[in-house]
Short mmCIF file of all heavy atoms in Angstrom, two decimals:
data_model
loop_
_atom_site.label_atom_id
_atom_site.label_comp_id
_atom_site.label_asym_id
_atom_site.label_seq_id
_atom_site.Cartn_x
_atom_site.Cartn_y
_atom_site.Cartn_z
N ALA T 1 18.34 2.26 -6.89
CA ALA T 1 19.54 3.09 -6.75
C ALA T 1 19.34 4.43 -7.46
O ALA T 1 19.77 5.48 -6.96
CB ALA T 1 20.75 2.35 -7.34
N ARG T 2 18.69 4.41 -8.62
CA ARG T 2 18.43 5.65 -9.36
C ARG T 2 17.57 6.62 -8.56
O ARG T 2 17.77 7.84 -8.61
CB ARG T 2 17.74 5.31 -10.69
CG ARG T 2 17.57 6.49 -11.63
CD ARG T 2 16.74 6.09 -12.85
NE ARG T 2 15.37 5.80 -12.49
CZ ARG T 2 14.43 6.73 -12.33
NH1 ARG T 2 14.73 8.00 -12.45
NH2 ARG T 2 13.20 6.38 -12.02
N ALA T 3 16.62 6.10 -7.77
CA ALA T 3 15.73 6.95 -6.98
C ALA T 3 16.46 7.63 -5.83
O ALA T 3 16.02 8.68 -5.36
CB ALA T 3 14.56 6.12 -6.43
N GLU T 4 17.57 7.04 -5.36
CA GLU T 4 18.38 7.60 -4.28
C GLU T 4 17.54 7.94 -3.04
O GLU T 4 17.73 8.95 -2.39
CB GLU T 4 19.11 8.85 -4.75
CG GLU T 4 20.15 8.57 -5.83
CD GLU T 4 20.94 9.80 -6.22
OE1 GLU T 4 20.50 10.93 -5.88
OE2 GLU T 4 22.00 9.65 -6.84
N GLY T 5 16.56 7.08 -2.75
CA GLY T 5 15.75 7.28 -1.55
C GLY T 5 14.65 8.31 -1.71
O GLY T 5 13.89 8.57 -0.77
N GLY T 6 14.52 8.91 -2.90
CA GLY T 6 13.48 9.93 -3.10
C GLY T 6 12.11 9.31 -3.29
O GLY T 6 11.98 8.23 -3.85
N GLU T 7 11.09 10.01 -2.83
CA GLU T 7 9.71 9.54 -2.95
C GLU T 7 8.95 10.38 -3.97
O GLU T 7 9.04 11.61 -3.95
CB GLU T 7 8.99 9.60 -1.60
CG GLU T 7 9.56 8.65 -0.56
CD GLU T 7 8.74 8.64 0.72
OE1 GLU T 7 7.51 8.43 0.63
OE2 GLU T 7 9.33 8.83 1.79
N LEU T 8 8.21 9.73 -4.85
CA LEU T 8 7.31 10.41 -5.76
C LEU T 8 5.95 10.55 -5.09
O LEU T 8 5.43 9.58 -4.53
CB LEU T 8 7.16 9.62 -7.06
CG LEU T 8 8.45 9.43 -7.89
CD1 LEU T 8 8.17 8.56 -9.10
CD2 LEU T 8 9.01 10.78 -8.31
N HIS T 9 5.39 11.75 -5.17
CA HIS T 9 4.18 11.97 -4.38
C HIS T 9 3.01 11.09 -4.82
O HIS T 9 2.24 10.61 -3.99
CB HIS T 9 3.75 13.44 -4.43
CG HIS T 9 2.64 13.74 -3.48
ND1 HIS T 9 1.32 13.63 -3.81
CD2 HIS T 9 2.68 14.08 -2.17
CE1 HIS T 9 0.57 13.91 -2.76
NE2 HIS T 9 1.37 14.19 -1.74
N ASN T 10 2.87 10.85 -6.13
CA ASN T 10 1.73 10.03 -6.56
C ASN T 10 1.86 8.59 -6.07
O ASN T 10 0.88 7.96 -5.68
CB ASN T 10 1.58 10.08 -8.09
CG ASN T 10 2.83 9.63 -8.81
OD1 ASN T 10 3.92 9.64 -8.26
ND2 ASN T 10 2.67 9.23 -10.06
N ILE T 11 3.09 8.06 -6.06
CA ILE T 11 3.29 6.69 -5.54
C ILE T 11 3.05 6.66 -4.03
O ILE T 11 2.43 5.74 -3.50
CB ILE T 11 4.72 6.21 -5.86
CG1 ILE T 11 4.98 6.24 -7.37
CG2 ILE T 11 4.94 4.80 -5.31
CD1 ILE T 11 4.07 5.35 -8.19
N ALA T 12 3.55 7.71 -3.34
CA ALA T 12 3.36 7.79 -1.89
C ALA T 12 1.88 7.90 -1.54
O ALA T 12 1.40 7.28 -0.58
CB ALA T 12 4.13 8.98 -1.33
N ALA T 13 1.13 8.69 -2.32
CA ALA T 13 -0.29 8.87 -2.03
C ALA T 13 -1.06 7.57 -2.23
O ALA T 13 -1.92 7.20 -1.41
CB ALA T 13 -0.86 9.97 -2.94
N LEU T 14 -0.76 6.86 -3.33
CA LEU T 14 -1.44 5.59 -3.58
C LEU T 14 -1.09 4.56 -2.50
O LEU T 14 -1.97 3.88 -1.97
CB LEU T 14 -1.06 5.08 -4.96
CG LEU T 14 -1.81 3.84 -5.46
CD1 LEU T 14 -2.01 3.91 -6.96
CD2 LEU T 14 -1.08 2.55 -5.10
N THR T 15 0.19 4.47 -2.17
CA THR T 15 0.60 3.50 -1.14
C THR T 15 -0.01 3.86 0.20
O THR T 15 -0.47 2.98 0.94
CB THR T 15 2.14 3.47 -1.04
OG1 THR T 15 2.70 3.21 -2.33
CG2 THR T 15 2.59 2.40 -0.06
N GLY T 16 -0.03 5.16 0.54
CA GLY T 16 -0.63 5.58 1.80
C GLY T 16 -2.09 5.22 1.89
O GLY T 16 -2.60 4.85 2.96
N GLY T 17 -2.80 5.29 0.76
CA GLY T 17 -4.20 4.89 0.75
C GLY T 17 -4.37 3.42 1.02
O GLY T 17 -5.27 3.00 1.77
N MET T 18 -3.49 2.58 0.44
CA MET T 18 -3.57 1.13 0.68
C MET T 18 -3.26 0.80 2.13
O MET T 18 -3.93 -0.04 2.75
CB MET T 18 -2.62 0.40 -0.27
CG MET T 18 -3.03 0.43 -1.73
SD MET T 18 -2.10 -0.75 -2.76
CE MET T 18 -0.47 -0.04 -2.70
N VAL T 19 -2.22 1.46 2.68
CA VAL T 19 -1.86 1.19 4.08
C VAL T 19 -3.00 1.57 5.01
O VAL T 19 -3.35 0.83 5.93
CB VAL T 19 -0.57 1.95 4.46
CG1 VAL T 19 -0.23 1.72 5.93
CG2 VAL T 19 0.60 1.51 3.59
N ALA T 20 -3.58 2.75 4.78
CA ALA T 20 -4.69 3.21 5.63
C ALA T 20 -5.86 2.24 5.57
O ALA T 20 -6.50 1.95 6.59
CB ALA T 20 -5.12 4.61 5.21
N GLN T 21 -6.15 1.73 4.39
CA GLN T 21 -7.24 0.76 4.24
C GLN T 21 -7.00 -0.48 5.08
O GLN T 21 -7.91 -0.97 5.77
CB GLN T 21 -7.37 0.38 2.77
CG GLN T 21 -8.37 -0.73 2.50
CD GLN T 21 -8.45 -1.08 1.02
OE1 GLN T 21 -9.20 -0.46 0.29
NE2 GLN T 21 -7.67 -2.04 0.59
N GLU T 22 -5.77 -0.99 5.05
CA GLU T 22 -5.47 -2.18 5.83
C GLU T 22 -5.47 -1.88 7.33
O GLU T 22 -5.87 -2.72 8.14
CB GLU T 22 -4.11 -2.76 5.41
CG GLU T 22 -4.04 -3.19 3.95
CD GLU T 22 -5.15 -4.14 3.56
OE1 GLU T 22 -5.39 -5.11 4.31
OE2 GLU T 22 -5.78 -3.93 2.51
N MET T 23 -5.04 -0.68 7.70
CA MET T 23 -5.06 -0.30 9.12
C MET T 23 -6.48 -0.24 9.65
O MET T 23 -6.76 -0.67 10.78
CB MET T 23 -4.37 1.05 9.31
CG MET T 23 -2.87 1.02 9.11
SD MET T 23 -2.06 2.48 9.78
CE MET T 23 -2.20 2.18 11.53
N ILE T 24 -7.39 0.29 8.85
CA ILE T 24 -8.79 0.38 9.27
C ILE T 24 -9.37 -1.02 9.48
O ILE T 24 -10.12 -1.27 10.44
CB ILE T 24 -9.61 1.19 8.25
CG1 ILE T 24 -9.23 2.67 8.31
CG2 ILE T 24 -11.11 1.01 8.49
CD1 ILE T 24 -9.85 3.52 7.24
N LYS T 25 -9.01 -1.96 8.61
CA LYS T 25 -9.48 -3.33 8.78
C LYS T 25 -9.03 -3.90 10.12
O LYS T 25 -9.78 -4.60 10.81
CB LYS T 25 -8.94 -4.22 7.65
CG LYS T 25 -9.50 -3.91 6.27
CD LYS T 25 -8.83 -4.81 5.24
CE LYS T 25 -9.27 -4.48 3.82
NZ LYS T 25 -8.57 -5.33 2.82
N ILE T 26 -7.78 -3.62 10.48
CA ILE T 26 -7.22 -4.19 11.71
C ILE T 26 -7.76 -3.47 12.94
O ILE T 26 -8.07 -4.10 13.96
CB ILE T 26 -5.69 -4.15 11.65
CG1 ILE T 26 -5.21 -5.20 10.63
CG2 ILE T 26 -5.06 -4.38 13.01
CD1 ILE T 26 -3.74 -5.14 10.33
N ILE T 27 -7.91 -2.16 12.86
CA ILE T 27 -8.43 -1.40 14.01
C ILE T 27 -9.89 -1.77 14.28
O ILE T 27 -10.29 -1.97 15.43
CB ILE T 27 -8.29 0.11 13.75
CG1 ILE T 27 -6.80 0.51 13.75
CG2 ILE T 27 -9.04 0.91 14.81
CD1 ILE T 27 -6.56 1.92 13.26
N THR T 28 -10.69 -1.87 13.22
CA THR T 28 -12.10 -2.19 13.40
C THR T 28 -12.36 -3.69 13.53
O THR T 28 -13.45 -4.10 13.90
CB THR T 28 -12.93 -1.67 12.21
OG1 THR T 28 -12.49 -2.32 11.00
CG2 THR T 28 -12.78 -0.16 12.05
N LYS T 29 -11.34 -4.51 13.18
CA LYS T 29 -11.47 -5.96 13.16
C LYS T 29 -12.63 -6.38 12.24
O LYS T 29 -13.46 -7.22 12.58
CB LYS T 29 -11.66 -6.52 14.56
CG LYS T 29 -10.43 -6.34 15.45
CD LYS T 29 -10.57 -7.04 16.78
CE LYS T 29 -9.27 -6.91 17.59
NZ LYS T 29 -9.36 -7.57 18.89
N GLN T 30 -12.65 -5.75 11.07
CA GLN T 30 -13.64 -6.07 10.06
C GLN T 30 -12.95 -6.23 8.71
O GLN T 30 -11.89 -5.65 8.48
CB GLN T 30 -14.70 -4.97 9.97
CG GLN T 30 -15.54 -4.79 11.23
CD GLN T 30 -16.64 -3.77 11.02
OE1 GLN T 30 -17.20 -3.63 9.94
NE2 GLN T 30 -16.96 -3.04 12.09
N TYR T 31 -13.58 -7.00 7.82
CA TYR T 31 -13.00 -7.33 6.52
C TYR T 31 -11.71 -8.13 6.74
O TYR T 31 -11.34 -8.44 7.86
CB TYR T 31 -12.76 -6.08 5.67
CG TYR T 31 -14.03 -5.31 5.38
CD1 TYR T 31 -14.42 -4.23 6.18
CD2 TYR T 31 -14.86 -5.65 4.32
CE1 TYR T 31 -15.59 -3.53 5.94
CE2 TYR T 31 -16.02 -4.95 4.05
CZ TYR T 31 -16.38 -3.89 4.87
OH TYR T 31 -17.54 -3.21 4.63
N ILE T 32 -11.03 -8.50 5.66
CA ILE T 32 -9.85 -9.36 5.78
C ILE T 32 -8.61 -8.59 5.35
O ILE T 32 -8.48 -8.23 4.17
CB ILE T 32 -10.01 -10.63 4.90
CG1 ILE T 32 -11.26 -11.40 5.32
CG2 ILE T 32 -8.77 -11.52 5.03
CD1 ILE T 32 -11.55 -12.61 4.45
N PRO T 33 -7.70 -8.32 6.28
CA PRO T 33 -6.47 -7.61 5.91
C PRO T 33 -5.51 -8.51 5.14
O PRO T 33 -5.65 -9.73 5.16
CB PRO T 33 -5.88 -7.20 7.27
CG PRO T 33 -6.40 -8.23 8.22
CD PRO T 33 -7.76 -8.62 7.71
N ILE T 34 -4.54 -7.91 4.48
CA ILE T 34 -3.56 -8.70 3.75
C ILE T 34 -2.66 -9.45 4.73
O ILE T 34 -2.52 -9.08 5.88
CB ILE T 34 -2.69 -7.84 2.82
CG1 ILE T 34 -1.78 -6.92 3.66
CG2 ILE T 34 -3.52 -7.04 1.86
CD1 ILE T 34 -0.60 -6.39 2.90
N ASP T 35 -2.05 -10.51 4.26
CA ASP T 35 -1.15 -11.32 5.09
C ASP T 35 0.10 -11.63 4.25
O ASP T 35 0.10 -12.54 3.47
CB ASP T 35 -1.87 -12.61 5.49
CG ASP T 35 -1.08 -13.47 6.45
OD1 ASP T 35 -0.08 -12.98 7.00
OD2 ASP T 35 -1.45 -14.64 6.62
N ASN T 36 1.19 -10.89 4.42
CA ASN T 36 1.45 -9.78 5.29
C ASN T 36 2.20 -8.65 4.61
O ASN T 36 2.43 -7.60 5.18
CB ASN T 36 2.26 -10.24 6.50
CG ASN T 36 3.58 -10.90 6.08
OD1 ASN T 36 4.04 -10.82 4.93
ND2 ASN T 36 4.20 -11.60 6.99
N THR T 37 2.64 -8.85 3.33
CA THR T 37 3.42 -7.85 2.60
C THR T 37 2.75 -7.56 1.25
O THR T 37 2.38 -8.47 0.53
CB THR T 37 4.86 -8.36 2.36
OG1 THR T 37 5.46 -8.67 3.61
CG2 THR T 37 5.69 -7.31 1.63
N CYS T 38 2.61 -6.26 0.95
CA CYS T 38 2.06 -5.83 -0.33
C CYS T 38 3.12 -5.01 -1.06
O CYS T 38 3.63 -4.03 -0.52
CB CYS T 38 0.80 -5.00 -0.12
SG CYS T 38 0.06 -4.39 -1.66
N ILE T 39 3.45 -5.43 -2.27
CA ILE T 39 4.48 -4.77 -3.08
C ILE T 39 3.78 -4.06 -4.23
O ILE T 39 2.89 -4.63 -4.88
CB ILE T 39 5.48 -5.80 -3.63
CG1 ILE T 39 6.02 -6.67 -2.50
CG2 ILE T 39 6.64 -5.11 -4.36
CD1 ILE T 39 6.69 -7.96 -2.97
N PHE T 40 4.19 -2.82 -4.51
CA PHE T 40 3.58 -2.06 -5.60
C PHE T 40 4.63 -1.64 -6.62
O PHE T 40 5.69 -1.12 -6.26
CB PHE T 40 2.87 -0.82 -5.07
CG PHE T 40 2.25 0.03 -6.15
CD1 PHE T 40 1.15 -0.42 -6.85
CD2 PHE T 40 2.79 1.26 -6.49
CE1 PHE T 40 0.58 0.34 -7.87
CE2 PHE T 40 2.23 2.03 -7.49
CZ PHE T 40 1.13 1.57 -8.19
N ASP T 41 4.31 -1.87 -7.87
CA ASP T 41 5.16 -1.48 -8.99
C ASP T 41 4.47 -0.36 -9.74
O ASP T 41 3.49 -0.58 -10.45
CB ASP T 41 5.39 -2.69 -9.91
CG ASP T 41 6.24 -2.35 -11.12
OD1 ASP T 41 6.66 -1.19 -11.25
OD2 ASP T 41 6.50 -3.26 -11.95
N GLY T 42 4.96 0.88 -9.56
CA GLY T 42 4.33 2.02 -10.19
C GLY T 42 4.59 2.10 -11.68
O GLY T 42 3.89 2.83 -12.39
N ILE T 43 5.58 1.36 -12.17
CA ILE T 43 5.87 1.37 -13.60
C ILE T 43 4.83 0.53 -14.35
O ILE T 43 4.26 0.95 -15.36
CB ILE T 43 7.29 0.84 -13.87
CG1 ILE T 43 8.32 1.75 -13.20
CG2 ILE T 43 7.56 0.73 -15.36
CD1 ILE T 43 9.75 1.24 -13.27
N ALA T 44 4.58 -0.67 -13.82
CA ALA T 44 3.57 -1.56 -14.43
C ALA T 44 2.18 -1.31 -13.86
O ALA T 44 1.20 -1.88 -14.33
CB ALA T 44 3.96 -3.02 -14.22
N SER T 45 2.10 -0.49 -12.80
CA SER T 45 0.83 -0.16 -12.14
C SER T 45 0.10 -1.42 -11.68
O SER T 45 -1.07 -1.64 -12.03
CB SER T 45 -0.07 0.66 -13.07
OG SER T 45 -1.18 1.18 -12.34
N ARG T 46 0.77 -2.24 -10.88
CA ARG T 46 0.11 -3.41 -10.31
C ARG T 46 0.76 -3.75 -8.97
O ARG T 46 1.86 -3.27 -8.65
CB ARG T 46 0.18 -4.61 -11.25
CG ARG T 46 1.55 -5.16 -11.54
CD ARG T 46 1.49 -6.25 -12.61
NE ARG T 46 2.79 -6.87 -12.84
CZ ARG T 46 3.25 -7.92 -12.17
NH1 ARG T 46 2.50 -8.47 -11.23
NH2 ARG T 46 4.44 -8.42 -12.44
N SER T 47 0.06 -4.55 -8.20
CA SER T 47 0.54 -4.91 -6.86
C SER T 47 0.48 -6.42 -6.68
O SER T 47 -0.19 -7.13 -7.44
CB SER T 47 -0.30 -4.22 -5.78
OG SER T 47 -1.65 -4.61 -5.88
#
């Protein structure tokens, strides 16, 4: 609620990198993609 829908660029950049990595796995059908939801906590810096 405090964020009011706003995005922080560093969190967006890190999340975008993770999404792109999983997309490449699925497009190339190589490596093992996640199944099926990845949650990231930028405060504790873990997923």
Side-chain angles (χ1 to χ4, degrees):
R2 187 186 67 83
E4 295 184 344
E7 294 186 53
L8 298 177
H9 189 271
N10 57 339
I11 302 299
L14 187 146
T15 306
M18 291 193 292
V19 177
Q21 174 180 274
E22 299 307 313
M23 289 196 72
I24 289 173
K25 293 177 184 178
I26 288 172
I27 291 169
T28 62
K29 294 186 176 180
Q30 296 185 34
Y31 300 94
I32 302 176
I34 68 160
D35 185 13
N36 58 14
T37 303
C38 179
I39 308 163
F40 178 70
D41 179 0
I43 298 174
S45 191
R46 65 186 184 89
S47 61

